Amino acid sequence: MAAAGSAVGLGNIWKFPYITGEYGGGAFVLVYLITVALVGFSVMLAEMLIGYLGRKDGVTSFETLAPTRKGLWKFGGFQGMAGLLIMTFYSVVIGWILNYIVTASISLPSSVHEAEVTFTTMLHSDFFTQFFYHTIAFVIVTYVLHKGIKSGIEKVNLILMPALIIILSVMFVYATTLDGFSKALTFMFAPDWSKLNSEAFVTAVGHAFFTLSLGMGAIMTYAASMEKGTNIVKSAFWVVFLDTAIAIVAGLMLFTFLYQYGSGPDKGPGLVFISLPAAFYEMGVLGNIFAVFFFIALAFAGLTSAVSLVEPMVQYFIDRFGWSRLKASISMGGFFWLVGIVVILSGLDGTKEYLTWGGKNFFDWIDYITAAIMLPFGGLIMAVFVGYILPKTEVQATMQPFLGWAFAPWYFSLRYIIPVAMFVVMLNLMGVF
Ligand code: PHE
């Protein structure tokens, strides 16, 4: 459950639709789906296995499990840094959602155009609102981290995750009755390969890691508290399945509304905030209620993921330096809160000019470096660790009972397919093709 809570987050409903919109639809979606199936699932199993066998924070798990060169392998666990970096903008986006919970309960924009103006005004000129809600997100996340995962967040999740799925399903069914739906289907599933430039390719692969929470130790940290004998393969399968299904449903629904109300898919990070409020408005008073519930559920999906982004580093400072949970939570929280302020400034008129390099602002750079580079690299380390470093007998003893005949192809993919695929991504990043 916790792993699903980590995977299903803003990546599915906020990020996936907007990057699909930006990078041109079908071809991008296809690369993402292929990566999830061929690479994501295998890496998920590898990462779960390391946590399950190591039973500690990421750094310590790598260190204890590595038969030799422990000092080197422990750096695999420092991938947790990627989570903290992601959190700098994740918290800002949760802040936007909190703001929308409040505004949606008062009034909704009457058209996509109006919704777009409202969002861009917040993004470009409203420092205070963004700062205020980012700070609230920081307070909630830090509080939950300090309390520990088990006591609060899992219980809340148990109610809100199904709520999110129900609201999404209702909205989705409604979307299928609209004319815009067929356009949304074509946009998402008819690949136009001419749109797949190298950045789109790398972003799609990176997103597969991001949305599944792979490559930075979140899944590993949670797997460390799995009971012995838990079926790792079954857990991994459900996480991957649920995560992918929610992303596809959310994407189709959001694009339907945009097409329906006469707008296009390329809305950038504001997509969910522009597409949905306008659709909710069409539903009348019921729309307000739906909107508020939707954004509340989305905020919770975001918060459960947020906690998992920071927890690996919190755990690390507790395990290795003997810090109290409170001290570790506040220090890590303070870090993403402070850097998050720079993320906000990088979108504002007046300051964004100083925080933009090569067409990407600070926000875009952090997103790109973490999702497209750090997470896939972390996934590669985990695949290599399980495929080459851990004794095969040990890996087999744990995984064979769950995987059966599929053990051989999985092991093969860790040893050969994933390293080759990641090598291609690296070449691509370096501009070789
Ligand atoms: N998977 C989360 C999402 O889709 C983000 C995340 C990435 C969480 C990496 C933890 C680790 O929103």
Side-chain angles (χ1 to χ4, degrees):
M1 276 306 279
S6 166
V8 177
L10 306 184
N12 306 61
I13 295 163
W14 162 72
K15 192 174 176 194
F16 172 68
Y18 103 71
I19 52 179
T20 300
E22 269 183 350
Y23 290 110
F28 178 88
V29 174
L30 204 63
V31 176
Y32 151 75
L33 288 177
I34 292 174
T35 314
V36 166
L38 292 186
V39 178
F41 186 54
S42 296
V43 173
M44 175 77 75
L45 290 177
E47 180 163 349
M48 280 190 174
L49 180 67
I50 300 173
Y52 178 81
L53 295 174
R55 311 210 77 77
K56 279 278 177 195
D57 69 282
V59 178
T60 314
S61 287
F62 269 107
E63 198 179 42
T64 35
L65 292 176
T68 54
R69 297 180 191 244
K70 291 178 182 292
L72 190 67
W73 278 107
K74 81 171 188 206
F75 284 98
F78 286 123
Q79 279 296 115
M81 265 311 290
L84 265 191
L85 288 175
I86 291 172
M87 193 54 199
T88 62
F89 66 81
Y90 214 85
S91 168
V92 173
V93 180
I94 292 177
W96 297 346
I97 296 168
L98 296 178
N99 176 25
Y100 268 68
I101 296 175
V102 177
T103 45
S105 61
I106 302 163
S107 76
L108 289 168
S110 61
S111 66
V112 166
H113 176 70
E114 198 184 315
E116 197 164 356
V117 173
T118 311
F119 179 79
T120 35
T121 310
M122 177 192 75
L123 187 68
H124 295 315
S125 49
D126 193 348
F127 174 77
F128 182 75
T129 302
Q130 293 189 77
F131 173 75
F132 178 73
Y133 286 107
H134 162 59
T135 305
I136 294 192
F138 149 75
V139 171
I140 301 176
V141 172
T142 310
Y143 179 76
V144 175
L145 280 167
H146 132 81
K147 276 275 165 207
I149 317 279
K150 291 270 177 206
S151 49
I153 197 103
E154 276 187 1
K155 289 198 192 89
V156 183
N157 222 11
L158 226 48
I159 303 167
L160 279 151
M161 200 61 115
L164 181 72
I165 293 176
I166 292 169
I167 298 175
L168 268 181
S169 310
V170 173
M171 299 298 294
F172 178 72
V173 171
Y174 171 65
T176 57
T177 66
L178 303 175
D179 295 336
F181 186 68
S182 61
K183 281 197 191 143
L185 268 181
T186 313
F187 178 70
M188 271 185 72
F189 294 112
D192 173 355
W193 296 106
S194 68
K195 297 230 173 87
L196 195 76
N197 60 22
S198 70
E199 184 169 316
F201 173 80
V202 172
T203 304
V205 172
H207 185 68
F209 282 86
F210 182 90
T211 189
L212 295 173
S213 301
L214 293 177
M216 53 130 309
I219 297 293
M220 192 183 293
T221 307
Y222 284 173
S225 52
M226 261 182 176
E227 267 167 47
K228 285 283 175 199
T230 312
N231 188 332
I232 299 182
V233 177
K234 221 170 159 182
S235 309
F237 173 80
W238 280 108
V239 173
V240 173
F241 176 79
L242 197 68
D243 189 81
T244 312
I246 291 182
I248 299 288
V249 165
L252 281 174
M253 169 190 90
L254 292 168
F255 290 129
T256 301
F257 293 147
L258 284 176
Y259 283 121
Q260 185 73 20
Y261 302 120
S263 191
D266 51 341
K267 292 282 172 285
L271 194 141
V272 71
F273 303 98
I274 294 168
S275 172
L276 271 188
F280 284 130
Y281 174 83
E282 296 289 319
M283 298 172 140
V285 189
L286 198 63
N288 280 81
I289 300 170
F290 255 122
V292 171
F293 269 101
F294 177 82
F295 283 116
I296 290 180
L298 185 56
F300 271 90
L303 287 169
T304 49
S305 302
V307 170
S308 77
L309 281 163
V310 192
E311 175 66 14
M313 286 316 272
V314 168
Q315 193 76 47
Y316 169 70
F317 279 98
I318 295 174
D319 281 358
R320 306 284 294 215
F321 293 94
W323 285 15
S324 68
R325 193 160 253 286
L326 184 68
K327 179 175 170 192
S329 310
I330 291 182
S331 312
M332 299 305 115
F335 174 84
F336 77 70
W337 179 73
L338 274 177
V339 183
I341 295 172
V342 184
V343 168
I344 297 175
L345 292 175
S346 77
L348 288 178
D349 293 334
T351 41
K352 70 165 178 256
E353 294 75 13
Y354 303 101
L355 293 165
T356 302
W357 307 272
K360 284 192 194 331
N361 68 12
F362 185 69
F363 181 160
D364 301 329
W365 275 115
I366 294 217
D367 178 18
Y368 190 68
I369 291 170
T370 49
I373 304 174
M374 292 177 82
L375 300 185
F377 185 67
L380 175 65
I381 296 179
M382 293 167 193
V384 168
F385 189 71
V386 175
Y388 290 94
I389 306 298
L390 288 183
K392 184 171 178 187
T393 45
E394 194 180 347
V395 174
Q396 199 160 9
T398 314
M399 297 304 274
Q400 184 89 48
F402 302 133
L403 278 167
W405 62 268
F407 177 80
W410 171 65
Y411 201 67
F412 180 84
S413 95
L414 292 184
R415 286 175 69 96
Y416 303 105
I417 301 181
I418 291 165
V420 170
M422 291 303 122
F423 185 64
V424 173
V425 172
M426 299 290 161
L427 287 183
N428 200 315
L429 274 172
M430 291 186 289
V432 177
F433 68 93

